Amino acid sequence: MKETPLSNCERRFLLRAVQERKRLDGRQCYDYRNVRISFGTDYGCCIVELGKTRVLGQVSCELVPPKPNRATEGILFFNLELSPMAAPAFEPGRQSELLVKLNRLIERCLRNSKCIDTESLCVVAGEKVWQIRVDLHVLNHDGNITDAASIAGIVALCHFRRPDVSVQGEEITVYTPEERDPVPLSIHHMPICVSFAFFQQGTYLLVDPSEREERVMDGLLVIAMNKHNEICTIQSSGGIMLLMDQVLRCSKISAVKVAEITELIQKALENDQKVRKEGGKFGFAESIPNQKITAFKMEGAAVDTTDVEEQAEEIITKADPPSEVFTQPILHTAGTAQIGEGIENAWGDLEESEREETADEEGETDAPAFEWEKIKMEDTSGTKETEKDEPIVLSDSEEEEVVILEPQAPSRKTRTQATLKQENTSKKTFNKKRKKKRVAH
Amino acid sequence: VTKCGLLRHRPAGGGGGAFWVDSQQKRYVPVKGDHVIGIVTAKTGDLFKVDVGGSELASLSYLAFEGATKRNRPNVQVGDLIYGQFLVANKDMEPELVCIDSSGRASGMGVIGQDGFLFKVTLGLIRKLLAPKCEIIEELSQLYPFELVLGMNGRIWVKAKTVQQTLIIVNILEACEYMTAEQRKQALAKVSGN
């Protein structure tokens, strides 16, 4: 199907918004969308959601003869697929430029960075090695497939377990999962791609562009880094001229982002590990909240609202409330029920934090912004844990929503002169409250 | 054709009795007489090709504007937004748009202004917003002045004084899909409580 054309109106509006440092979904220039990682029942299967962009990663392995010139190394095979499910513009079976570009980038990021120890994949030198195959399917395209795919790839690889093998002389025994526990792959480091979109010849920069922003950007810079601040891959496309200090600034930003995302990944992997060990329920069915047929759900979007007529006065941030439409009470535990739980708490806390307004310079937004983001990341992964522990999925979905909402609210920073910083403390107390609540369950 | 949804009924009276099925979908199918927002994709000779979100591009003749003659052509560029209604729309033929009504007047149709923002919502929300007494629109108009064009193909064009205000309206309208009346009132109270 042909892609819907971008009207002049939209293009102009988006460029104007970028100039005023506003994004459609209320994010800051350096903010990522919510990253959510969920695992399937099989080892090596995961879905990564970056906002609305979703990528499924699946890792599988096979014993094959090695390449003749690399007799002692295993084989890594990466494959990214764009199906029409992701966007109507993607046609099946057609090798588009975007597809080639994405595939090459993922390969360079994950293979050339030597994040997987291929020597450890060797079983019998020259005869049998493991071939690890990583398949990435884009389920929904809402911008920035690169980042989502790279996260999905590395998470799937970290999550994967290959069958245990023992070699006695000439005999190779491959144990089934029942005989011996499967063995994880040996991974040195986790490279993560961070994308930067440039507008107006490099004057304006946005991290994690959404689909609309990607349509109007001038150029794209992708930096793949790991948490040890090593750059694994760097690619600039679109033909824009970048200054050295811009590239350096981007690498600093990506260092911070990668640190946060790596932390989130670690937490998600640990949670999943824990749930599997404890024998709890895991898999996609558990991580997708129960959807009633009459209930619509949308993530709370943070939109900055500035009363334009009073620019120098207070600025209050607004968040779209979570939208669980529950007509009957939800039971959290025996004896406690609530209707529309999330809404009340979120609103109450938002007002609290509004009262504690303090003026703040907009200058160095990095440090505080990332701190909030960390908390945000923590919360998102924290809710994963809750979901898997408790069989009552309904309340968890609300919580998940609400938890995401709260950190979003303070991380929004307004851009006019008198900017306000939502108190970290108020948010932290809210989070502590949330955590206490979970424990109480 | 089968559709799933809620069965609605309007009793026989001033407006006439009617039964209809209130369904929810995002993909638009052109229907004769519907007012839609289209994006001009091509200008060929005396015809414009307009994307309306359906399976085919609709055609729009340059004479189908108010006051247009062979000498006096309308000022329409590729990428412009058009608000028009379907003259012809069935599954056998390419749909045709016109920007004048049966008496030859524009009545609000034509090229939509340069600024503002276009976004897409579900068809059900559009129908809700177009209902005679729509609370959402009334409540929004209490906030600050803005221009709004609703296309039956799920497209909404909004223009307010600043980018910020426009974004607020866009987000509220998108969220109206999922919010109850109280949640909406709370959200609006937050915004207007600045």
Side-chain angles (χ1 to χ4, degrees), chain A residues 121-176:
Chain A
L121 297 173
C122 178
V123 175
V124 175
E127 284 180 31
K128 286 269 181 235
V129 297
W130 284 112
Q131 180 189 28
I132 304 290
R133 190 196 162 93
V134 183
D135 284 300
L136 300 164
H137 297 266
V138 182
L139 300 177
N140 194 32
H141 172 39
D142 194 32
N144 207 4
I145 298 180
T146 322
D147 291 11
S150 80
I151 298 176
I154 197 66
V155 168
L157 282 166
C158 290
H159 191 243
F160 181 63
R161 306 271 181 271
R162 64 168 173 83
D164 197 7
V165 173
S166 70
V167 183
Q168 277 139 353
E170 285 300 320
E171 240 181 62
I172 314 171
T173 334
V174 180
Y175 296 103
T176 61

Short mmCIF file of all heavy atoms in Angstrom, two decimals, chain A residues 121-176:
data_model
loop_
_atom_site.label_atom_id
_atom_site.label_comp_id
_atom_site.label_asym_id
_atom_site.label_seq_id
_atom_site.Cartn_x
_atom_site.Cartn_y
_atom_site.Cartn_z
N LEU A 121 31.38 -20.84 21.11
CA LEU A 121 30.34 -21.57 20.41
C LEU A 121 30.91 -22.77 19.65
O LEU A 121 30.17 -23.48 18.97
CB LEU A 121 29.64 -20.64 19.41
CG LEU A 121 28.90 -19.45 20.02
CD1 LEU A 121 28.39 -18.54 18.92
CD2 LEU A 121 27.73 -19.94 20.84
N CYS A 122 32.20 -22.95 19.76
CA CYS A 122 32.80 -24.05 19.01
C CYS A 122 32.63 -25.34 19.80
O CYS A 122 32.89 -25.37 21.01
CB CYS A 122 34.28 -23.74 18.79
SG CYS A 122 35.12 -25.06 17.94
N VAL A 123 32.23 -26.40 19.13
CA VAL A 123 32.06 -27.70 19.79
C VAL A 123 33.22 -28.62 19.42
O VAL A 123 33.97 -29.07 20.27
CB VAL A 123 30.71 -28.33 19.39
CG1 VAL A 123 30.58 -29.72 19.97
CG2 VAL A 123 29.57 -27.46 19.84
N VAL A 124 33.36 -28.88 18.13
CA VAL A 124 34.52 -29.62 17.65
C VAL A 124 35.12 -28.77 16.54
O VAL A 124 34.47 -28.48 15.54
CB VAL A 124 34.12 -31.00 17.08
CG1 VAL A 124 35.33 -31.70 16.49
CG2 VAL A 124 33.48 -31.85 18.16
N ALA A 125 36.38 -28.38 16.74
CA ALA A 125 37.01 -27.45 15.80
C ALA A 125 37.00 -28.03 14.40
O ALA A 125 37.41 -29.18 14.20
CB ALA A 125 38.43 -27.15 16.25
N GLY A 126 36.53 -27.25 13.49
CA GLY A 126 36.56 -27.67 12.10
C GLY A 126 35.38 -28.54 11.70
O GLY A 126 35.17 -28.78 10.51
N GLU A 127 34.61 -29.03 12.67
CA GLU A 127 33.52 -29.94 12.31
C GLU A 127 32.16 -29.43 12.74
O GLU A 127 31.23 -29.38 11.94
CB GLU A 127 33.75 -31.30 12.94
CG GLU A 127 34.82 -32.09 12.23
CD GLU A 127 35.00 -33.43 12.89
OE1 GLU A 127 34.02 -33.98 13.44
OE2 GLU A 127 36.13 -33.93 12.88
N LYS A 128 32.04 -29.11 14.00
CA LYS A 128 30.72 -28.71 14.48
C LYS A 128 30.83 -27.46 15.34
O LYS A 128 31.61 -27.43 16.29
CB LYS A 128 30.12 -29.82 15.36
CG LYS A 128 29.64 -31.02 14.59
CD LYS A 128 28.19 -30.87 14.20
CE LYS A 128 27.71 -32.10 13.43
NZ LYS A 128 27.13 -31.76 12.16
N VAL A 129 30.05 -26.46 14.95
CA VAL A 129 29.96 -25.27 15.79
C VAL A 129 28.49 -24.89 15.90
O VAL A 129 27.66 -25.34 15.09
CB VAL A 129 30.74 -24.08 15.20
CG1 VAL A 129 32.22 -24.38 15.12
CG2 VAL A 129 30.20 -23.70 13.84
N TRP A 130 28.19 -24.05 16.87
CA TRP A 130 26.82 -23.56 17.01
C TRP A 130 26.60 -22.40 16.05
O TRP A 130 27.42 -21.50 15.95
CB TRP A 130 26.58 -23.06 18.44
CG TRP A 130 26.40 -24.12 19.45
CD1 TRP A 130 27.26 -24.42 20.45
CD2 TRP A 130 25.30 -25.01 19.57
NE1 TRP A 130 26.76 -25.45 21.20
CE2 TRP A 130 25.57 -25.84 20.69
CE3 TRP A 130 24.11 -25.21 18.86
CZ2 TRP A 130 24.69 -26.84 21.10
CZ3 TRP A 130 23.25 -26.19 19.27
CH2 TRP A 130 23.54 -27.00 20.38
N GLN A 131 25.48 -22.45 15.37
CA GLN A 131 25.07 -21.30 14.58
C GLN A 131 23.93 -20.63 15.33
O GLN A 131 22.86 -21.23 15.52
CB GLN A 131 24.60 -21.71 13.19
CG GLN A 131 24.18 -20.50 12.38
CD GLN A 131 23.50 -20.86 11.08
OE1 GLN A 131 22.88 -21.91 10.97
NE2 GLN A 131 23.61 -20.00 10.11
N ILE A 132 24.15 -19.42 15.77
CA ILE A 132 23.13 -18.68 16.52
C ILE A 132 22.40 -17.78 15.53
O ILE A 132 23.03 -16.97 14.84
CB ILE A 132 23.76 -17.82 17.62
CG1 ILE A 132 24.60 -18.69 18.55
CG2 ILE A 132 22.70 -17.08 18.40
CD1 ILE A 132 23.81 -19.61 19.41
N ARG A 133 21.11 -17.89 15.50
CA ARG A 133 20.33 -17.13 14.55
C ARG A 133 19.41 -16.18 15.32
O ARG A 133 18.65 -16.61 16.18
CB ARG A 133 19.49 -18.10 13.73
CG ARG A 133 18.83 -17.47 12.56
CD ARG A 133 17.72 -18.34 12.03
NE ARG A 133 16.87 -17.53 11.20
CZ ARG A 133 17.00 -17.39 9.88
NH1 ARG A 133 17.94 -18.08 9.26
NH2 ARG A 133 16.22 -16.60 9.20
N VAL A 134 19.52 -14.90 15.03
CA VAL A 134 18.68 -13.90 15.70
C VAL A 134 17.70 -13.34 14.67
O VAL A 134 18.10 -12.74 13.69
CB VAL A 134 19.54 -12.74 16.25
CG1 VAL A 134 18.66 -11.76 16.99
CG2 VAL A 134 20.63 -13.25 17.16
N ASP A 135 16.42 -13.58 14.92
CA ASP A 135 15.39 -13.05 14.03
C ASP A 135 14.67 -11.90 14.72
O ASP A 135 14.19 -12.07 15.83
CB ASP A 135 14.37 -14.15 13.70
CG ASP A 135 14.91 -15.13 12.70
OD1 ASP A 135 15.27 -14.70 11.59
OD2 ASP A 135 15.00 -16.32 13.04
N LEU A 136 14.63 -10.77 14.07
CA LEU A 136 13.94 -9.62 14.64
C LEU A 136 12.76 -9.28 13.74
O LEU A 136 12.95 -9.05 12.55
CB LEU A 136 14.89 -8.43 14.73
CG LEU A 136 16.11 -8.65 15.60
CD1 LEU A 136 17.17 -7.61 15.34
CD2 LEU A 136 15.72 -8.62 17.06
N HIS A 137 11.57 -9.27 14.31
CA HIS A 137 10.39 -8.91 13.53
C HIS A 137 9.84 -7.61 14.06
O HIS A 137 9.59 -7.48 15.26
CB HIS A 137 9.32 -9.99 13.67
CG HIS A 137 9.74 -11.31 13.13
ND1 HIS A 137 9.47 -11.72 11.85
CD2 HIS A 137 10.45 -12.30 13.69
CE1 HIS A 137 9.98 -12.92 11.66
NE2 HIS A 137 10.58 -13.30 12.76
N VAL A 138 9.61 -6.67 13.16
CA VAL A 138 9.04 -5.41 13.60
C VAL A 138 7.52 -5.58 13.60
O VAL A 138 6.92 -5.86 12.57
CB VAL A 138 9.44 -4.27 12.65
CG1 VAL A 138 8.87 -2.96 13.13
CG2 VAL A 138 10.94 -4.16 12.57
N LEU A 139 6.91 -5.42 14.78
CA LEU A 139 5.47 -5.63 14.88
C LEU A 139 4.70 -4.34 14.68
O LEU A 139 3.58 -4.35 14.20
CB LEU A 139 5.12 -6.21 16.26
CG LEU A 139 5.79 -7.54 16.57
CD1 LEU A 139 5.43 -7.97 17.98
CD2 LEU A 139 5.36 -8.59 15.58
N ASN A 140 5.32 -3.23 15.07
CA ASN A 140 4.66 -1.95 14.86
C ASN A 140 5.70 -0.87 14.67
O ASN A 140 6.70 -0.85 15.39
CB ASN A 140 3.78 -1.60 16.07
CG ASN A 140 2.84 -0.47 15.74
OD1 ASN A 140 2.39 -0.33 14.61
ND2 ASN A 140 2.54 0.37 16.71
N HIS A 141 5.47 -0.02 13.69
CA HIS A 141 6.47 1.00 13.37
C HIS A 141 5.93 2.35 13.80
O HIS A 141 5.01 2.89 13.17
CB HIS A 141 6.73 0.97 11.86
CG HIS A 141 7.59 2.10 11.37
ND1 HIS A 141 8.67 2.58 12.06
CD2 HIS A 141 7.53 2.83 10.23
CE1 HIS A 141 9.24 3.55 11.38
NE2 HIS A 141 8.57 3.73 10.26
N ASP A 142 6.51 2.89 14.88
CA ASP A 142 6.15 4.25 15.24
C ASP A 142 7.41 5.06 15.41
O ASP A 142 7.53 5.91 16.27
CB ASP A 142 5.32 4.25 16.54
CG ASP A 142 4.65 5.59 16.77
OD1 ASP A 142 4.30 6.25 15.78
OD2 ASP A 142 4.48 5.98 17.94
N GLY A 143 8.39 4.78 14.57
CA GLY A 143 9.62 5.54 14.63
C GLY A 143 10.71 4.79 15.38
O GLY A 143 10.45 4.04 16.30
N ASN A 144 11.95 5.02 14.96
CA ASN A 144 13.11 4.50 15.68
C ASN A 144 13.12 2.98 15.80
O ASN A 144 13.24 2.43 16.90
CB ASN A 144 13.18 5.12 17.07
CG ASN A 144 14.59 5.15 17.58
OD1 ASN A 144 15.51 4.77 16.87
ND2 ASN A 144 14.76 5.55 18.81
N ILE A 145 12.99 2.32 14.66
CA ILE A 145 13.05 0.86 14.68
C ILE A 145 14.46 0.42 15.10
O ILE A 145 14.64 -0.61 15.75
CB ILE A 145 12.74 0.28 13.28
CG1 ILE A 145 11.32 0.67 12.88
CG2 ILE A 145 12.86 -1.22 13.29
CD1 ILE A 145 10.95 0.16 11.53
N THR A 146 15.48 1.22 14.72
CA THR A 146 16.87 0.84 15.01
C THR A 146 17.09 0.55 16.47
O THR A 146 17.59 -0.51 16.84
CB THR A 146 17.81 1.99 14.62
OG1 THR A 146 17.34 2.59 13.43
CG2 THR A 146 19.22 1.50 14.43
N ASP A 147 16.71 1.50 17.31
CA ASP A 147 16.95 1.32 18.74
C ASP A 147 16.20 0.13 19.28
O ASP A 147 16.74 -0.69 20.01
CB ASP A 147 16.52 2.58 19.50
CG ASP A 147 17.42 3.76 19.21
OD1 ASP A 147 18.23 3.66 18.27
OD2 ASP A 147 17.29 4.77 19.91
N ALA A 148 14.92 0.07 18.93
CA ALA A 148 14.10 -1.02 19.45
C ALA A 148 14.67 -2.36 19.00
O ALA A 148 14.74 -3.31 19.78
CB ALA A 148 12.66 -0.87 18.97
N ALA A 149 15.10 -2.43 17.74
CA ALA A 149 15.63 -3.69 17.24
C ALA A 149 16.94 -4.05 17.93
O ALA A 149 17.18 -5.22 18.24
CB ALA A 149 15.84 -3.61 15.72
N SER A 150 17.78 -3.07 18.18
CA SER A 150 19.05 -3.40 18.82
C SER A 150 18.82 -3.86 20.25
O SER A 150 19.47 -4.80 20.72
CB SER A 150 20.01 -2.21 18.78
OG SER A 150 19.71 -1.28 19.78
N ILE A 151 17.88 -3.23 20.94
CA ILE A 151 17.58 -3.67 22.30
C ILE A 151 17.00 -5.08 22.27
O ILE A 151 17.40 -5.95 23.05
CB ILE A 151 16.60 -2.71 23.00
CG1 ILE A 151 17.21 -1.32 23.12
CG2 ILE A 151 16.23 -3.22 24.38
CD1 ILE A 151 16.26 -0.30 23.71
N ALA A 152 16.08 -5.32 21.32
CA ALA A 152 15.47 -6.65 21.24
C ALA A 152 16.53 -7.69 20.95
O ALA A 152 16.53 -8.78 21.54
CB ALA A 152 14.39 -6.66 20.15
N GLY A 153 17.46 -7.36 20.04
CA GLY A 153 18.49 -8.32 19.68
C GLY A 153 19.36 -8.70 20.86
O GLY A 153 19.55 -9.88 21.17
N ILE A 154 19.85 -7.69 21.57
CA ILE A 154 20.77 -8.01 22.66
C ILE A 154 20.04 -8.65 23.84
O ILE A 154 20.57 -9.55 24.50
CB ILE A 154 21.57 -6.74 23.09
CG1 ILE A 154 22.79 -7.17 23.89
CG2 ILE A 154 20.74 -5.78 23.87
CD1 ILE A 154 23.79 -7.93 23.12
N VAL A 155 18.81 -8.25 24.08
CA VAL A 155 18.06 -8.86 25.19
C VAL A 155 17.76 -10.31 24.87
O VAL A 155 17.90 -11.19 25.73
CB VAL A 155 16.76 -8.08 25.44
CG1 VAL A 155 15.84 -8.85 26.36
CG2 VAL A 155 17.06 -6.73 26.03
N ALA A 156 17.37 -10.57 23.62
CA ALA A 156 17.08 -11.96 23.24
C ALA A 156 18.33 -12.82 23.38
O ALA A 156 18.27 -13.95 23.84
CB ALA A 156 16.54 -12.02 21.82
N LEU A 157 19.48 -12.24 22.99
CA LEU A 157 20.73 -13.01 23.10
C LEU A 157 21.08 -13.27 24.56
O LEU A 157 21.53 -14.37 24.91
CB LEU A 157 21.87 -12.26 22.41
CG LEU A 157 21.87 -12.36 20.89
CD1 LEU A 157 22.81 -11.34 20.29
CD2 LEU A 157 22.26 -13.75 20.44
N CYS A 158 20.87 -12.27 25.41
CA CYS A 158 21.17 -12.47 26.83
C CYS A 158 20.22 -13.49 27.46
O CYS A 158 20.59 -14.20 28.38
CB CYS A 158 21.04 -11.16 27.60
SG CYS A 158 22.32 -9.99 27.22
N HIS A 159 19.01 -13.51 26.97
CA HIS A 159 17.99 -14.37 27.56
C HIS A 159 18.13 -15.81 27.09
O HIS A 159 17.67 -16.74 27.74
CB HIS A 159 16.62 -13.82 27.18
CG HIS A 159 15.50 -14.45 27.93
ND1 HIS A 159 14.50 -15.18 27.31
CD2 HIS A 159 15.19 -14.46 29.22
CE1 HIS A 159 13.65 -15.59 28.21
NE2 HIS A 159 14.03 -15.17 29.37
N PHE A 160 18.78 -15.99 25.95
CA PHE A 160 18.78 -17.29 25.29
C PHE A 160 19.62 -18.32 26.06
O PHE A 160 20.62 -17.99 26.69
CB PHE A 160 19.33 -17.12 23.88
CG PHE A 160 19.36 -18.39 23.10
CD1 PHE A 160 18.20 -19.07 22.80
CD2 PHE A 160 20.56 -18.91 22.66
CE1 PHE A 160 18.23 -20.24 22.08
CE2 PHE A 160 20.61 -20.07 21.94
CZ PHE A 160 19.43 -20.75 21.64
N ARG A 161 19.22 -19.58 26.02
CA ARG A 161 20.00 -20.68 26.59
C ARG A 161 20.18 -21.74 25.52
O ARG A 161 19.20 -22.17 24.91
CB ARG A 161 19.24 -21.31 27.77
CG ARG A 161 18.81 -20.35 28.83
CD ARG A 161 19.88 -20.17 29.88
NE ARG A 161 19.46 -19.25 30.91
CZ ARG A 161 19.63 -17.94 30.88
NH1 ARG A 161 20.20 -17.38 29.84
NH2 ARG A 161 19.21 -17.18 31.87
N ARG A 162 21.41 -22.11 25.28
CA ARG A 162 21.63 -23.15 24.29
C ARG A 162 21.80 -24.50 25.01
O ARG A 162 22.17 -24.54 26.17
CB ARG A 162 22.86 -22.84 23.44
CG ARG A 162 24.14 -22.83 24.24
CD ARG A 162 25.34 -22.82 23.30
NE ARG A 162 26.55 -22.64 24.04
CZ ARG A 162 27.22 -23.62 24.65
NH1 ARG A 162 26.76 -24.85 24.61
NH2 ARG A 162 28.33 -23.36 25.31
N PRO A 163 21.52 -25.59 24.31
CA PRO A 163 21.64 -26.91 24.95
C PRO A 163 23.08 -27.17 25.36
O PRO A 163 24.03 -26.73 24.71
CB PRO A 163 21.22 -27.89 23.85
CG PRO A 163 20.50 -27.09 22.85
CD PRO A 163 21.01 -25.70 22.93
N ASP A 164 23.24 -27.85 26.44
CA ASP A 164 24.58 -28.17 26.94
C ASP A 164 25.18 -29.28 26.11
O ASP A 164 24.49 -30.21 25.68
CB ASP A 164 24.48 -28.59 28.41
CG ASP A 164 25.84 -28.53 29.08
OD1 ASP A 164 26.79 -28.04 28.44
OD2 ASP A 164 25.93 -28.95 30.24
N VAL A 165 26.49 -29.18 25.88
CA VAL A 165 27.16 -30.16 25.03
C VAL A 165 28.37 -30.71 25.76
O VAL A 165 29.08 -29.96 26.42
CB VAL A 165 27.64 -29.49 23.72
CG1 VAL A 165 28.48 -30.44 22.90
CG2 VAL A 165 26.47 -29.02 22.90
N SER A 166 28.62 -32.00 25.66
CA SER A 166 29.89 -32.50 26.20
C SER A 166 30.57 -33.33 25.12
O SER A 166 29.93 -34.04 24.35
CB SER A 166 29.65 -33.34 27.45
OG SER A 166 29.03 -34.54 27.09
N VAL A 167 31.89 -33.17 25.07
CA VAL A 167 32.66 -33.87 24.04
C VAL A 167 33.57 -34.86 24.74
O VAL A 167 34.37 -34.48 25.61
CB VAL A 167 33.51 -32.87 23.23
CG1 VAL A 167 34.24 -33.60 22.12
CG2 VAL A 167 32.63 -31.78 22.66
N GLN A 168 33.44 -36.16 24.40
CA GLN A 168 34.36 -37.16 24.96
C GLN A 168 35.07 -37.81 23.80
O GLN A 168 34.51 -38.68 23.13
CB GLN A 168 33.58 -38.21 25.75
CG GLN A 168 33.27 -37.79 27.14
CD GLN A 168 31.86 -38.18 27.55
OE1 GLN A 168 31.08 -38.67 26.72
NE2 GLN A 168 31.54 -37.96 28.79
N GLY A 169 36.29 -37.35 23.58
CA GLY A 169 37.06 -37.92 22.46
C GLY A 169 36.39 -37.56 21.15
O GLY A 169 36.33 -36.42 20.74
N GLU A 170 35.84 -38.59 20.51
CA GLU A 170 35.20 -38.33 19.23
C GLU A 170 33.70 -38.16 19.37
O GLU A 170 33.01 -37.78 18.43
CB GLU A 170 35.46 -39.52 18.27
CG GLU A 170 36.88 -39.53 17.72
CD GLU A 170 37.20 -38.27 16.94
OE1 GLU A 170 36.32 -37.78 16.17
OE2 GLU A 170 38.30 -37.73 17.09
N GLU A 171 33.17 -38.48 20.57
CA GLU A 171 31.72 -38.47 20.74
C GLU A 171 31.23 -37.13 21.24
O GLU A 171 31.74 -36.59 22.21
CB GLU A 171 31.35 -39.51 21.80
CG GLU A 171 30.44 -40.58 21.29
CD GLU A 171 30.12 -41.54 22.41
OE1 GLU A 171 29.52 -41.06 23.40
OE2 GLU A 171 30.51 -42.70 22.30
N ILE A 172 30.21 -36.62 20.59
CA ILE A 172 29.60 -35.37 21.07
C ILE A 172 28.23 -35.73 21.59
O ILE A 172 27.44 -36.38 20.91
CB ILE A 172 29.41 -34.36 19.92
CG1 ILE A 172 30.68 -34.26 19.09
CG2 ILE A 172 29.01 -33.01 20.47
CD1 ILE A 172 30.47 -33.46 17.83
N THR A 173 27.95 -35.31 22.81
CA THR A 173 26.59 -35.53 23.34
C THR A 173 25.92 -34.18 23.53
O THR A 173 26.44 -33.31 24.23
CB THR A 173 26.66 -36.21 24.72
OG1 THR A 173 27.85 -36.94 24.82
CG2 THR A 173 25.46 -37.11 24.91
N VAL A 174 24.80 -34.04 22.89
CA VAL A 174 24.01 -32.82 23.08
C VAL A 174 22.88 -33.16 24.03
O VAL A 174 22.05 -34.02 23.74
CB VAL A 174 23.42 -32.31 21.75
CG1 VAL A 174 22.60 -31.06 21.98
CG2 VAL A 174 24.51 -32.06 20.74
N TYR A 175 22.85 -32.50 25.19
CA TYR A 175 21.83 -32.82 26.18
C TYR A 175 20.57 -32.04 25.92
O TYR A 175 20.59 -30.89 25.56
CB TYR A 175 22.36 -32.50 27.59
CG TYR A 175 23.53 -33.34 27.97
CD1 TYR A 175 24.82 -32.81 27.95
CD2 TYR A 175 23.37 -34.68 28.33
CE1 TYR A 175 25.90 -33.58 28.29
CE2 TYR A 175 24.46 -35.46 28.66
CZ TYR A 175 25.73 -34.91 28.64
OH TYR A 175 26.81 -35.68 28.97
N THR A 176 19.45 -32.70 26.13
CA THR A 176 18.18 -32.00 26.00
C THR A 176 17.96 -31.16 27.27
O THR A 176 18.61 -31.43 28.28
CB THR A 176 17.02 -33.00 25.88
OG1 THR A 176 16.98 -33.80 27.05
CG2 THR A 176 17.20 -33.87 24.66
#
